[in-house]
Each structure stands twice: as structure tokens, then as C-alpha cells.
Amino acid sequence: MKAHLPWLVMLIGISLLTTNSCSREMDKKPRPEYKRNPNPVQAHRLRMRIQDAPGPLKVVVSATQHDVVTPECLPAPNDNPGGHLSPIPTNDIPFELELVSDTEYTGVFYTDGMIDEDYHGHGVCRWELIQVQVQLKATGAEGETPFVASLSRDEISPGRSKTIYFWKGAYPGDPASSINDLPNFGQTDRSRMAAWVKDEDVFSVTLQDDGGAP
């Protein structure tokens, strides 16, 4: 029995090499490219107002996030190497925010930014806008706090707005954090901020959906 053990080990090794080689070949199989809509029509104008900022704030990110909401259109586990479920595809589409006053920006985004299509042969993948997000930094430098404000798809409606409150002490960088670029998502309910945070220690960012845009 011992005399045959090296051959058994060799056969197992060959089998593993073959399996890994097949997996690599399957991984090399080209994935379809998800397509942005070149002619979107469902336009919304976003208005952003900044109040009582502790200093200059620069827009470093302004984008919409779109996800596939029909997972049944994705490759099944038996179509993937190792039988893994396919991750939900997501895609961010940047849009421009224009400074219209010292404290106000506006920009146009689209809810139909992606093309619904049968990308995998399992039926049409339907995309939906998940959120519109803006990130602000003091200057945009590494190590500064990104102050994040967003509207979810349920909050995107003409005339609707949301105000997010932030602690000024995190500007330009949070001294209590050892992590560079740690996002600060603020609070939508001012009363939920720590009791020691006074009104003069707070600034706010308001996002408003001004409805359709030309």
C-alpha cells in the first residue's frame, strides 16, 4: 500500500491542477458589458444647499447609483465557477453639480441611466436608481472627512427635500479617527446627535428634488 502512495499523491495533484485550470478558463469567459443609456429622458434637477459650514467645501463625488433589481436574470450558480451566486450588478453614473451661489449647487441627474437588456440569456435585467449621492470635502485632499449626503429612490420625488446635519468637529478631518477618508453620513434627525453638540457646532446639507429638467 505504501509503495503506491506516491502515485496516488501524484494523481490527486494532477486532478487538482486540471480542476484549477478549468476554473481559470471559466473565469476568463468574457462577461457582458452593462450599458449606460446614451439618451436618458427621466431627468431630475438636484438642488443642494449648505448652511453654516465651518469652512470651504468641495464637491468630490456627485453620482447616481443604479442596481439590477431582477436577480433571476443573472447567471445561476451552476453557470459560475465554484457554483457561486452572481453578485448584484451595480453602476455609478457621475453628474455635474454647478455652483450657483456661495452656498448652493444645482445639477441634473437621470433615473433611466442604464439600459434594460438580456445580458446573460436568463431574461431582461431591469435596472433601477438606488440613490443619488454627493460627497463633500474641505479641499478634496486625502485624509479629509468626506461628508456624505444622499437621497434614496423613495426620497426622489419632485419638491421633496432632506436635510442632513454634521458635526463641525469632523472638519476638515476627524481628530478622533485613525482611518483616512472615513465617511461621515451625519444625522437626519438633529435631536439624535450627542447632547454635548451645540447648535453652533453643527452645519447642514439639504438635498432637494426640483423635479424634471429641460
Side-chain angles (χ1 to χ4, degrees):
M1 182 69 179
K2 291 182 179 179
H4 295 286
L5 186 56
W7 290 103
L8 180 60
V9 172
M10 186 181 296
L11 288 173
I12 292 173
I14 293 172
S15 176
L16 289 173
L17 287 172
T18 304
T19 301
N20 290 337
S21 176
C22 290
S23 295
R24 285 194 294 271
E25 289 302 315
M26 292 180 71
D27 286 337
K28 292 177 183 177
K29 184 179 178 181
R31 298 282 185 177
E33 181 178 350
Y34 298 116
K35 302 173 185 175
R36 290 187 183 180
N37 186 351
N39 299 300
V41 295
Q42 298 173 12
H44 290 249
R45 183 172 296 279
L46 181 73
R47 186 173 302 275
M48 179 175 69
R49 299 185 184 89
I50 303 170
Q51 185 172 352
D52 300 326
L57 284 168
K58 179 181 180 179
V59 177
V60 293
V61 172
S62 50
T64 53
Q65 176 191 338
H66 305 257
D67 288 3
V68 167
V69 295
T70 50
E72 62 272 15
C73 77
L74 302 176
N78 57 356
D79 294 334
N80 288 326
H84 299 297
L85 292 172
S86 295
I88 297 297
T90 185
N91 193 58
D92 295 338
I93 301 179
F95 66 95
E96 294 293 327
L97 278 175
E98 179 183 358
L99 185 65
V100 295
S101 74
D102 290 341
T103 59
E104 191 170 343
Y105 293 77
T106 64
V108 175
F109 67 91
Y110 294 87
T111 60
D112 58 338
M114 298 295 293
I115 292 180
D116 296 341
E117 189 172 293
D118 186 350
Y119 291 97
H120 301 280
H122 294 280
V124 173
C125 287
R126 187 165 62 85
W127 294 84
E128 283 190 8
L129 184 144
I130 301 302
Q131 66 169 337
V132 54
Q133 185 181 104
V134 179
Q135 295 185 23
L136 303 162
K137 281 187 170 186
T139 67
E142 183 179 355
E144 294 179 342
T145 300
F147 297 98
V148 182
S150 64
L151 293 175
S152 69
R153 62 180 169 187
D154 295 331
E155 295 168 330
I156 295 171
S157 178
R160 189 164 181 178
S161 66
K162 181 170 80 172
T163 299
I164 302 97
Y165 300 93
F166 300 95
W167 176 51
K168 291 181 181 180
Y171 177 96
D174 191 337
S177 174
S178 60
I179 303 174
N180 282 344
D181 302 317
L182 181 67
N184 187 323
F185 295 93
Q187 285 282 359
T188 56
D189 185 349
R190 169 68 179 90
S191 67
R192 296 188 63 181
M193 301 182 80
W196 52 264
V197 178
K198 300 177 181 179
D199 287 345
E200 57 265 31
D201 299 328
V202 174
F203 75 97
S204 65
V205 175
T206 299
L207 300 181
Q208 178 173 316
D209 182 353
D210 280 350

